[in-house]
Amino acid sequence: TQLLEQSPQFLSIQEGENLTVYCNSSSVFSSLQWYRQEPGEGPVLLVTVVTGGEVKKLKRLTFQFGDARKDSSLHITAAQPGDTGLYLCAGAGSGGGADGLTFGKGTHLIIQP
Amino acid sequence: GAVVSQHPSRVICKSGTSVKIECRSLDFQATTMFWYRQFPKQSLMLMATSNEGSKATYEQGVEKDKFLINHASLTLSTLTVTSAHPEDSSFYICSATWGRGSPLHFGNGTRLTVT
């Protein structure tokens, strides 16, 4: 069974600060996805990383996939209150997305104005 | 982008009744759909995987007779919670994908409250 350890579980910071969320596993994933979920809604895909060492940027969000494809990080620069939400990492096994994803437990992020 | 519609968004039912939740992919053919349950402030818990035209594969601990899943077409999967009890109250979310390696697209979830 593939497991994804996501940390921190909860994070509350002031607007303008930087933060990093980590997603670690002992398993290799064919791809890793990051989602953001707001209360009462379904998760929304932010990014998919596929290649070891890959870095993707989405405005103030920077996603990195580890060289060995076992871990990933999400870095937010100058956090805004609108970044508040539940961030989920999810890894796809060798079968890819159609075999289902392994989800981390999520990071509850609160950005205080 | 790909859109998945989930209906209803909220439902309140009495204990002992059954509730059906629909998950539709609006602009793509979903070969596989997934059903999750989510408790407050927790991550998604996969309940079952549904492939079009075949029986759903349930995760360990999920009662297949209680949570009936039907994926009759490439754009529709349904989850029926049978003989619902208050402990079934939860947030249920579906997701859909069009193929291996493709990302998941989620519905907006259904808040089920059983009284």
Side-chain angles (χ1 to χ4, degrees):
Chain A
T1 303
Q2 295 179 310
L3 294 174
L4 267 176
E5 301 279 343
Q6 193 172 337
S7 62
Q9 193 173 355
F10 296 97
L11 183 60
S12 178
I13 62 173
Q14 296 293 320
E15 181 178 2
E17 293 185 25
N18 302 332
L19 67 109
T20 303
V21 178
Y22 299 94
C23 196
N24 297 296
S25 176
S26 58
S27 303
V28 175
F29 293 100
S30 60
S31 67
L32 197 138
Q33 298 165 22
W34 285 91
Y35 294 84
R36 178 167 166 266
Q37 183 182 19
E38 297 196 24
E41 297 183 11
V44 174
L45 178 67
L46 295 175
V47 77
T48 300
V49 285
V50 179
T51 307
E54 182 176 4
V55 176
K56 282 191 174 179
K57 292 194 174 184
L58 187 65
K59 296 184 180 178
R60 292 175 293 99
L61 278 60
T62 302
F63 304 86
Q64 185 163 8
F65 202 13
D67 291 340
R69 291 186 288 134
K70 293 182 179 180
D71 54 86
S72 181
S73 64
L74 158 61
H75 182 79
I76 300 179
T77 304
Q80 304 293 311
D83 296 328
T84 294
L86 172 67
Y87 289 82
L88 296 162
C89 64
S94 56
D99 287 354
L101 296 177
T102 299
F103 279 90
K105 291 194 173 183
T107 295
H108 291 269
L109 176 63
I110 297 174
I111 309 301
Q112 299 179 23
Chain B
V3 177
V4 174
S5 173
Q6 191 172 336
H7 178 80
S9 57
R10 291 177 184 272
V11 58
I12 300 173
C13 70
K14 291 188 176 181
S15 187
T17 62
S18 296
V19 174
K20 180 184 284 189
I21 303 170
E22 291 187 348
C23 182
R24 292 181 185 273
S25 57
L26 298 185
D27 53 0
F28 67 97
Q29 292 186 326
T31 55
T32 306
M33 288 185 171
F34 302 91
W35 287 95
Y36 307 83
R37 186 171 179 176
Q38 186 176 33
F39 293 101
K41 297 193 183 300
Q42 294 190 23
S43 187
L44 306 175
M45 183 186 76
L46 180 65
M47 298 175 65
T49 301
S50 163
N51 290 297
E52 185 265 338
S54 61
K55 289 184 178 180
T57 302
Y58 290 80
E59 295 299 301
Q60 193 171 9
V62 178
E63 300 175 58
K64 60 181 67 177
D65 294 331
K66 181 166 186 61
F67 298 99
L68 300 178
I69 291 173
N70 183 279
H71 192 163
S73 77
L74 282 171
T75 58
L76 174 64
S77 176
T78 60
L79 166 67
T80 302
V81 183
T82 63
S83 187
H85 291 284
E87 56 265 31
D88 298 326
S89 298
S90 191
F91 193 56
Y92 293 87
I93 305 176
C94 71
S95 70
T97 182
W98 57 78
R100 210 167 264 265
S102 304
L104 296 179
H105 296 274
F106 287 83
N108 268 340
T110 297
R111 171 70 59 194
L112 171 63
T113 303
V114 185
T115 60

